[in-house]
Amino acid sequence: MAIEYLCKACRGHLTVNNFLVLAATKINSSKRGLIFLNPELGNYTKTTHPSFSIEKGAEYLYTCPICHSQLNSVKYPHLVRVIMEDEKGKEFDIYFSGIAGEKCTYQLTDVGVVKKGPDAGKYDRYFDVPDEDKKYL
Ligand SMILES: [Zn+2]
């Protein structure tokens, strides 16, 4: 069983032919299209149709291509959430930046947050556990 990505709303499979496929719309713009992301955490290569170029620094709304639910997090501004299912069927929340060019990924696990990418420090504060709570971990 390979790593799968699921929509947080409909649990539809978002991985097709080894790409994580999402629909993206540039905020305050009519520019939208499909985006093919590398499913490997920390790999930020992406592919789009030539008519839909991703503008670095612009924020995008990501939606599920199956149910059209918005995947941008309400809890964590500028981050987008999908569910990852590993080879053993274990599920993790994955967050990545909805701002093009920002390279950061957060994988929430039972034992803490696995952070990837050169910009991971940018949203660190969302996932930092206050020192007084660490004794409960
Ligand atoms: Zn969906």
Side-chain angles (χ1 to χ4, degrees):
M1 192 172 156
I3 288 174
E4 297 281 357
Y5 287 90
L6 309 177
C7 166
K8 66 180 181 180
C10 72
R11 296 184 58 82
H13 288 276
L14 300 171
T15 325
V16 176
N17 201 13
N18 210 28
F19 285 105
L20 168 55
V21 183
L22 297 173
T25 306
K26 190 183 165 199
I27 287 183
N28 297 324
S29 162
S30 58
K31 288 181 186 166
R32 59 184 177 177
L34 291 172
I35 180 162
F36 286 54
L37 301 167
N38 192 306
E40 182 194 334
L41 294 181
N43 184 324
Y44 298 95
T45 55
K46 55 185 177 301
T47 309
T48 59
H49 187 269
S51 66
F52 179 58
S53 58
I54 300 290
E55 281 173 45
K56 207 172 171 182
E59 186 161 11
Y60 287 80
L61 282 179
Y62 284 85
T63 50
C64 168
I66 305 165
C67 74
H68 307 293
S69 290
Q70 192 179 308
L71 303 177
N72 294 63
S73 175
V74 175
K75 191 174 170 189
Y76 302 126
H78 310 307
L79 295 186
V80 179
R81 176 164 73 100
V82 291
I83 298 168
M84 176 200 220
E85 193 181 61
D86 74 7
E87 296 91 336
K88 294 171 189 147
K90 193 168 167 53
E91 291 185 8
F92 305 91
D93 279 331
I94 302 291
Y95 288 89
F96 63 93
S97 177
I99 298 175
E102 285 188 356
K103 295 177 177 173
C104 49
T105 316
Y106 307 89
Q107 178 185 17
L108 276 55
T109 75
D110 299 341
V111 290
V113 179
V114 179
K115 300 164 191 171
K116 298 235 195 262
D119 300 318
K122 191 148 188 182
Y123 303 104
D124 249 359
R125 64 187 186 281
Y126 290 165
F127 304 103
D128 276 345
V129 179
D131 276 340
E132 67 265 29
D133 291 342
K134 280 189 177 154
K135 59 181 179 244
Y136 302 115
L137 293 177

